[in-house]
Amino acid sequence: MRSCFSVPKDAGHPCALAVLLALLLPGAGCTTTMTHLAPAKALQPGHMQITVDYSLPIHTNLAEGVVDAAELLEDRIDKEEVSELTDEEFRTLLDAAFNWALFLTGGSPEALARIGLAGWETGGLDIGVRFNGTTVKGDAKVEYWRSSNEVWHAALDVGYAYQFSVVGDLLEYLSLNDWARHDLDIMLPVSAEPGKVFRWYVAPRILVSWINVEAKPGAKLLEYLPESLKSYNPSQYFGDEKMIYWGGTTGIMLGYRYVFVNLEMSVMRLQFRPRVLDERRDYDGVVIAPAVGLTGMW
């Protein structure tokens, strides 16, 4: 079978399929932590919560991007194309690789700690910090209302996350850039505690992420650029961008006194249309993020 398309003789890969497979090697993804794992009721001053959990965020746009690239490659192989990639074909492959690196589906273990700081008749304040290996996130929860029978509680929770290992070498190789990500997470949890063994909560939320990029020249990807794109500066591959998630999180806690099992589900709509090679690309999608955890409280 002939090559999928022509490449430089000294190129590291013989065809587009090999290039794509190299770009899609498993690596650290850019998906942020989406767990909450706590009711709206604030911890009493000095009381603590420790939770370990495992979450699995799944992005629909990841599948869409990879399918588009696979169809492109299949079509070229069926037609035994040997011409260079067109501008749009290269962008399609680039979209697939970006989606893979940014939203790679993979389970993530996490540890969470909370402590109560203040309490008053109708509410309280606690703070938390969590870490999943690539992201550290702190948040403050203010319980501003509780029912007279103390079954229902409502709160405002604001969190900030910093991802210090966004995409690793894979996307830096692909995009010629260094990356950093910052998240602002705002939610309004409401919870019910009708007894000592069961707790339920739901939290509408919005999460805004800022991706900061710094140009880093020099990558073998340049060897595969169509002539129409070779004049682009590395900074034009992917600039500073913002993505917005909106949706909600719901969960239950089952246990007694000091130990609870957490079952949680987050469903968020992603709005993300970054400028790649000076053209807006559609990376919108939906993320579904189930999580299971074990909590100790005292």
Side-chain angles (χ1 to χ4, degrees):
M1 181 180 292
R2 287 181 289 177
S3 298
C4 303
F5 65 98
S6 62
V7 297
K9 293 181 180 180
D10 60 347
H13 306 282
C15 69
L17 181 58
V19 175
L20 183 65
L21 291 177
L23 293 176
L24 300 189
L25 287 173
C30 190
T31 302
T32 190
T33 174
M34 291 189 174
T35 60
H36 184 55
L37 300 166
K41 182 180 180 180
L43 295 171
Q44 296 180 22
H47 286 214
M48 294 192 66
Q49 169 188 340
I50 301 292
T51 300
V52 291
D53 69 272
Y54 191 86
S55 63
L56 183 66
I58 301 170
H59 284 75
T60 61
N61 48 306
L62 169 64
E64 293 170 0
V66 173
V67 167
D68 289 343
E71 290 176 348
L72 184 158
L73 294 173
E74 182 181 14
D75 183 62
R76 272 187 162 262
I77 292 172
D78 289 343
K79 295 179 180 179
E80 296 188 335
E81 289 280 355
V82 296
S83 60
E84 290 186 352
L85 287 172
T86 66
D87 185 314
E88 188 55 37
E89 286 174 334
F90 183 82
R91 290 177 187 273
T92 298
L93 294 179
L94 201 60
D95 286 344
F98 273 131
N99 273 287
W100 184 276
L102 287 167
F103 307 112
L104 176 64
T105 298
S108 174
E110 184 179 57
L112 160 67
R114 307 196 68 86
I115 185 170
L117 294 184
W120 50 88
E121 185 177 351
T122 58
L125 166 67
D126 66 27
I127 59 173
V129 62
R130 67 193 68 211
F131 178 66
N132 68 0
T134 62
T135 303
V136 59
K137 179 179 181 180
D139 73 289
K141 180 177 66 185
V142 178
E143 181 191 358
Y144 59 82
W145 175 85
R146 65 180 58 169
S147 62
S148 58
N149 59 3
E150 297 197 2
V151 171
W152 292 93
H153 307 263
L156 167 66
D157 191 295
V158 179
Y160 167 78
Y162 174 66
Q163 195 162 3
F164 55 86
S165 179
V166 178
V167 291
D169 294 336
L170 169 64
L171 194 53
E172 290 180 7
Y173 171 91
L174 170 67
S175 66
L176 317 179
N177 293 288
D178 290 313
W179 296 67
R181 175 172 176 168
H182 306 263
D183 301 324
L184 176 64
D185 191 5
I186 302 174
M187 63 179 70
L188 294 169
V190 175
S191 66
E193 298 185 17
K196 295 183 178 181
V197 300
F198 175 77
R199 300 175 182 182
W200 168 82
Y201 58 89
V202 61
R205 66 195 295 191
I206 182 169
L207 191 154
V208 183
S209 295
W210 291 269
I211 298 175
N212 304 118
V213 181
E214 181 180 349
K216 183 183 70 175
K220 287 190 176 182
L221 185 69
L222 291 172
E223 299 172 358
Y224 302 95
L225 280 173
E227 288 296 329
S228 60
L229 301 178
K230 285 185 177 180
S231 62
Y232 278 80
N233 185 284
S235 64
Q236 294 173 284
Y237 273 64
F238 198 106
D240 293 349
E241 295 289 348
K242 179 175 69 175
M243 64 176 75
I244 299 175
Y245 294 89
W246 55 271
T249 296
T250 187
I252 61 173
M253 299 175 66
L254 298 171
Y256 183 70
R257 297 189 68 179
Y258 305 117
V259 180
F260 291 84
V261 173
N262 304 77
L263 298 174
E264 184 174 276
M265 176 69 75
S266 295
V267 179
M268 308 280 283
R269 173 67 178 172
L270 169 63
Q271 295 178 321
F272 187 38
R273 300 197 175 187
R275 183 175 293 277
V276 180
L277 289 170
D278 277 348
E279 181 180 295
R280 288 292 177 189
R281 307 297 285 181
D282 185 357
Y283 294 177
D284 289 357
V286 174
V287 58
I288 301 171
V292 59
L294 183 65
T295 291
M297 305 182 75
W298 63 91

